[in-house]
Amino acid sequence: MNLCEVSCALCGDAPSSVRFHEEPFTVRTCDSCGLDYVSPRALDLIESVYDATYWRSDAARRKGYSDYAGDLALQRKTFARRLRGIEPLFPRPGRVLDVGCAGGAFLLVMLESGWTVRGLEPSEPMRAIAEERLGAPVDGSDLMLFEPGETFDLVTLWDVLEHLPDPVGALRRARSWLAPGGRIVLETQNVASLAARALGRRWHHYKHEEHLVHFSPTTLSRALAAAGLRVTSRTTRAAGKYVRLDFLVERSGRLGPWATRALAPLLALGNPVVYINPLDEMIVVAEPL
Ligand SMILES: [Zn+2]
């Protein structure tokens, strides 16, 4: 894997303090703005991180998902719950662009609700799945080069911003794709949450190959402002996910083998679906300044 040293995505060349090392990566905090970010970080992300093994990984605790495409029913349930929080913002269904749409689960939910949908997904294996499910082409260009040729009432970035080398640049582009009155809705993990602070380096969102930045409510507002956007609401409600119990057991291994041992006997119940919300992710609605 190729690595590169980077500086703060919000203020450029400011000095930083080391939070912790996990070879070959280091998590740092910018001394100027407080943004947490990984440097050195992986280069060539599309080739080296988001290949087919990312979506069906044997090591999902460290990187990727154990079977992303197989989780469609649960993802739809999760997004249907999130849509209930977003829908009141819009007088009627409009046009939505989902940036990083993965297998298209959110767009399927939006289609059913009467929206006109468009997806952007640079990872080829996932894009093919989304296209098959949606029965429509999905754009595969680099977000920083993408030219949609139309505007949208809603641009969504679910679990996307933390993966991007230039989050402010990406938000600026997303803003330029908004129709008058349009909004950006994004979800990202909150490094200032109780769970993140209590778990320290064992926090399950420290996955250094893919999570390049870790926002707090303060640094996320700064990033949005730098992109010409302001936060109109921020919530942890509906930021949870429906998962199968075996997913929870697998991820709990990050806490230590004791956690897996404690939870594994519950699998005798038959791997039920559970809704988990550790309140360590935030859903933010933003509009142009
Ligand atoms: Zn900074």
Side-chain angles (χ1 to χ4, degrees):
M1 184 195 309
N2 294 321
L3 298 172
C4 63
E5 299 272 353
V6 296
S7 46
C8 174
L10 295 190
C11 40
D13 229 358
S16 64
S17 305
V18 171
R19 291 255 329 270
F20 63 91
H21 298 286
E22 210 159 30
E23 286 302 326
F25 305 103
T26 301
V27 177
R28 304 168 177 280
T29 305
C30 173
D31 292 342
S32 171
C33 73
L35 181 71
D36 288 300
Y37 64 98
V38 179
S39 178
R41 65 163 176 80
L43 255 180
D44 311 320
L45 299 168
I46 291 294
E47 291 79 19
S48 68
V49 180
Y50 304 110
D51 57 7
T53 65
Y54 177 81
W55 306 102
R56 202 180 170 110
S57 168
D58 293 331
R61 216 182 299 160
R62 183 179 61 80
K63 176 191 154 185
Y65 296 88
S66 45
D67 183 13
Y68 191 94
D71 292 339
L72 179 62
L74 297 179
Q75 290 161 10
R76 286 175 79 145
K77 212 166 150 66
T78 296
F79 283 124
R81 188 167 177 144
R82 290 182 188 174
L83 178 60
R84 289 201 291 276
I86 300 169
E87 252 177 343
L89 299 172
F90 299 91
R92 68 192 72 83
R95 306 182 69 82
V96 57
L97 169 69
D98 190 24
V99 175
C101 70
F106 175 64
L107 292 178
L108 283 172
V109 169
M110 296 303 271
L111 258 182
E112 278 168 9
S113 297
W115 286 69
T116 303
V117 306
R118 188 148 169 203
L120 178 64
E121 176 51 62
S123 174
E124 202 282 324
M126 258 306 129
R127 189 166 68 247
I129 292 173
E131 287 181 334
E132 194 188 323
R133 287 175 178 166
L134 294 165
V138 167
D139 293 287
S141 31
D142 184 313
L143 171 104
M144 300 307 284
L145 304 171
F146 180 53
E147 296 290 351
E150 59 178 330
T151 56
F152 302 91
D153 305 295
L154 171 62
V155 175
T156 48
L157 300 98
W158 301 111
D159 299 308
V160 165
L161 208 57
E162 64 273 18
H163 297 254
L164 302 177
D166 179 9
V168 173
L171 288 170
R172 222 174 260 139
R173 291 191 67 77
R175 175 177 166 272
S176 74
W177 302 329
L178 291 177
R183 289 179 174 86
I184 289 174
V185 173
L186 67 88
E187 183 196 41
T188 189
Q189 71 268 9
N190 178 2
V191 74
S193 62
L194 190 61
R197 284 182 285 133
L199 293 171
R201 66 174 68 191
R202 290 169 305 159
W203 189 38
H204 55 112
H205 288 297
Y206 288 124
K207 300 171 93 175
H208 310 304
E209 281 172 69
E210 53 184 291
H211 289 171
L212 313 178
V213 286
H214 299 276
F215 290 101
S216 68
T218 308
T219 54
L220 182 57
S221 294
R222 281 191 184 135
L224 287 160
L229 293 154
R230 70 180 186 94
V231 174
T232 57
S233 80
R234 188 180 59 237
T235 178
T236 52
R237 274 187 58 223
K241 289 181 170 72
Y242 287 97
V243 297
R244 294 233 169 247
L245 187 61
D246 62 355
F247 171 88
L248 204 58
V249 171
E250 186 267 326
R251 290 291 159 107
S252 71
R254 274 190 80 105
L255 302 178
W258 61 268
T260 310
R261 275 201 302 273
L263 285 173
L266 293 173
L267 287 172
L269 300 172
N271 205 14
V273 172
V274 287
Y275 182 72
I276 49 161
N277 187 354
L279 307 180
D280 62 354
E281 300 207 40
M282 43 191 174
I283 294 178
V284 165
V285 182
E287 61 182 26
L289 281 166

